[in-house]
Amino acid sequence: MPELPEVEVVRRGLHRHVAGRVVAEVEVRHPRAVRRHVPGAADFAARLAGRRFEAARRRGKYLWLDLDGGAEAVIAHLGMSGQMLVRPVGAAEETHLRVRFRFADDGPELRFVDQRTFGGMAVAELVPSAGTLVPAPVAHIALDPLDPAYDPEAAVVALRRRRTELKRALLDQTVVSGIGNIYADEALWRVGLHGSRPTASLPPAEARAVLAAATEVMTEALGEGGTSFDAMYVNVNGESGYFDRSLNVYGQEGRPCRRCGAPIRRDPFMNRSSFTCPSCQPRPRTA
Ligand SMILES: [Zn+2]
């Protein structure tokens, strides 16, 4: 599943390849891809014909394309396997092509390809949030650590205000957005904290450290994600490219901890898994 660094790679590609271009025609190939656009596929297509994409933007794992007029955007959810591909006109169709945008300049098309169809697109109204305009479904999402307006101290306060466990708070998109299961585990390992530590008793210095580690690991992943890029291929999502990241704990069950050598353990966590070093990240006694 794409996390913040992967979505940012997609955003950069979209901004570079489709911002400033006028949509000529939209073809919805699978109605499920626009199920979040309540008025339906025909309305989605009709509303976008003749409109210009102004910019590609992101908050956390939410991605959108601003439309001319400044009141609406096309929001895109990549889901588990969504891809945004920029392809030459006439290029062979992908098996799982869901939505195709043709442009008035007859240049490369934008194709939304999604094998598992958990992703989708919708036209959404822009509303004010944190000093900017964002699509209405994004308004409740906190700023992410890569946002220039992100305030680390405000994030520390929000994290410690939650009455929950540390990892759950890190994944809470209303505290800080964009941190998913992989980067939460990596950040916790870097600072030697167990995810079941209660946030209420977490010292501010530790909250600050884990948030800084999350920012650091996502920034590093973004640096790696930016390398597999060429002019015609906006990004590969959910494919092998994502998993060559240098992960210290995530998916490393049984392997020696790179810091102390203890075998990494896996525990069930919210229908997924948590990976920790039992020595570097002691579980709190009360948990
Ligand atoms: Zn260790």
Side-chain angles (χ1 to χ4, degrees):
M1 187 165 190
E3 294 200 17
L4 185 154
E6 293 76 27
V7 178
E8 173 61 12
V9 170
V10 176
R11 186 202 68 77
R12 290 177 182 182
L14 284 174
H15 193 76
R16 185 165 136 208
H17 294 292
V18 308
R21 299 178 67 195
V22 175
V23 175
E25 186 191 4
V26 179
E27 189 186 347
V28 177
R29 299 288 290 269
H30 195 303
R32 199 170 142 74
V34 294
R35 67 193 177 283
R36 290 187 183 90
H37 186 82
V38 176
D43 181 86
F44 180 82
R47 275 220 243 177
L48 294 176
R51 305 290 297 276
R52 190 174 61 239
F53 289 137
E54 299 288 13
R57 300 177 62 204
R58 182 191 57 74
R59 178 178 288 179
K61 291 176 262 185
Y62 290 78
L63 181 69
W64 66 93
L65 288 159
D66 281 341
L67 291 166
D68 56 19
E72 291 178 318
V74 177
I75 185 165
H77 305 258
L78 299 176
M80 301 291 285
S81 58
Q83 293 172 274
M84 292 286 194
L85 304 179
V86 175
R87 291 287 195 228
V89 174
E93 282 185 12
E94 294 75 14
T95 307
H96 304 289
L97 176 63
R98 305 303 184 204
V99 183
R100 182 211 307 265
F101 295 81
R102 292 194 176 90
F103 291 93
D105 57 19
D106 291 326
E109 304 175 349
L110 174 63
R111 298 179 182 183
F112 178 63
V113 174
D114 189 10
Q115 181 175 2
R116 300 181 65 183
T117 66
F118 289 113
M121 306 178 103
V123 178
E125 185 191 355
L126 293 175
V127 298
S129 167
T132 185
L133 290 173
V134 302
V138 180
H140 68 289
I141 301 295
L143 294 177
D144 66 67
L146 304 187
D147 192 309
Y150 173 73
D151 177 352
E153 284 308 305
V156 168
V157 171
L159 185 89
R160 295 182 68 244
R161 200 185 283 139
R162 299 288 301 170
R163 291 294 176 264
T164 185
E165 295 177 352
L166 178 55
K167 184 171 171 184
R168 286 174 185 266
L170 289 174
L171 296 179
D172 183 336
Q173 304 295 300
T174 65
V175 173
V176 176
S177 68
I179 304 176
N181 202 37
I182 298 172
Y183 298 113
D185 279 2
E186 292 296 314
L188 288 164
W189 179 84
R190 285 190 183 206
V191 295
L193 291 174
H194 196 281
S196 58
R197 289 276 299 271
T199 49
S201 61
L202 194 70
E206 293 190 348
R208 202 171 288 125
V210 73
L211 288 168
T215 306
E216 184 183 86
V217 70
M218 290 196 294
T219 302
E220 289 171 13
L222 178 59
E224 289 170 26
T227 56
S228 60
F229 218 78
D230 71 48
M232 285 297 141
Y233 204 49
V234 175
N235 193 25
V236 182
N237 274 317
E239 304 292 340
S240 57
Y242 278 175
F243 299 100
D244 57 13
R245 292 177 287 217
S246 45
L247 300 172
N248 288 302
V249 279
Y250 187 85
Q252 308 297 309
E253 184 182 12
R255 299 211 181 121
C257 169
R258 288 183 187 172
R259 194 161 43 210
C260 76
I264 299 298
R265 61 175 288 161
R266 179 177 68 84
D267 293 293
F269 176 80
M270 294 171 76
N271 297 322
R272 289 179 286 176
S273 297
S274 280
F275 296 89
T276 57
C277 169
S279 167
C280 296
Q281 299 168 266
R283 180 181 282 275
R285 274 190 210 111
T286 50

